[in-house]
Amino acid sequence: MKSRRPLDVARHLPALLRYARSLTRDDAAAEDLVQQTLVRAIERSDSFRRDAALEPWLMALLHNLFVDGTRRVARERRAMDGLEGATPAGASLLPQEQQLYLDQIASRFDALPEEQRAVLHLVAIEGRTYAEVAGTLNLPIGTVMSRLSRARAALRDAALDRAADPKLRIIGGTDAG
């Protein structure tokens, strides 16, 4: 048996972790998923074509592990709301209305079906092309585009809902009488 050079996964870890967080919505579960992905990559390193890009292969492994895990463990859905209290760096400095809006968008993103959330994350956050996402998720490119469109529409609807929300009103306006 010939010896193969080890896979250089270190530079792909940040992207894997971001994608895992997007899927699991929980920091600890995301780290566990990345670790499982690395174990799977080592176990299946012989199946990796050295002339292919490593990151899409790792992303596909991660995605497949996530899907397998959610099918196998239905209760994991209840444990995926761990990011509820997390806020972006500097978010406490935002005006309350902007923070509320960001929280609504984050909630709407978390509420997206896993299929739409995965595609939106890979395209919008990781900057992947539709073709790369299609390859990573083993989907036709049309399905990727359709899921992305529905995810964007759901987030856009959140913005429209916010504008029409009767609970949000300006206090101290000129018509206060």
Side-chain angles (χ1 to χ4, degrees):
M1 181 170 156
K2 66 180 180 180
S3 132
R4 296 189 86 174
R5 207 173 73 234
L7 299 175
D8 180 20
V9 298
R11 65 188 178 104
H12 303 291
L13 289 176
L16 289 170
L17 192 54
R18 283 191 306 268
Y19 185 43
R21 282 183 183 134
S22 174
L23 293 173
T24 64
R25 296 179 238 156
D26 179 82
D27 287 341
E31 289 174 7
D32 290 345
L33 184 57
V34 169
Q35 184 176 3
Q36 291 170 0
T37 301
L38 296 177
V39 168
R40 179 72 53 93
I42 291 168
E43 291 171 349
R44 302 207 174 151
S45 63
D46 288 342
S47 70
F48 176 68
R49 290 187 2 248
R50 299 297 169 145
D51 61 331
L54 180 58
E55 189 170 291
W57 183 71
L58 291 170
M59 291 282 194
L61 289 175
L62 185 140
H63 181 81
N64 291 338
L65 282 167
F66 174 76
V67 170
D68 292 347
T70 54
R71 288 180 182 157
R72 187 176 55 253
V73 186
R75 65 182 157 73
E76 205 170 312
R77 278 264 185 226
R78 293 187 300 267
M80 291 187 185
D81 51 64
L83 290 180
E84 184 177 334
T87 56
S92 61
L93 303 176
L94 295 174
Q96 288 179 348
E97 185 176 333
Q98 288 176 330
Q99 185 60 49
L100 177 63
Y101 178 64
L102 290 175
D103 290 346
Q104 289 171 341
I105 294 296
S107 294
R108 193 60 75 106
F109 179 81
D110 286 345
L112 289 173
E114 182 270 324
E115 299 85 11
Q116 292 177 17
R117 200 173 61 249
V119 169
L120 183 62
H121 177 91
L122 289 172
V123 170
I125 297 172
E126 298 301 326
R128 302 295 180 253
T129 66
Y130 296 167
E132 290 171 333
V133 173
T136 297
L137 302 180
N138 196 26
L139 296 171
I141 199 163
T143 301
V144 168
M145 293 167 61
S146 174
R147 289 179 182 178
L148 181 62
S149 175
R150 287 193 305 266
R152 286 177 171 163
L155 293 181
R156 198 170 30 254
D157 291 345
L160 294 175
D161 290 349
R162 177 183 168 267
D165 190 343
K167 295 179 284 189
L168 296 177
R169 61 187 175 93
I170 297 176
I171 298 177
T174 59
D175 62 337

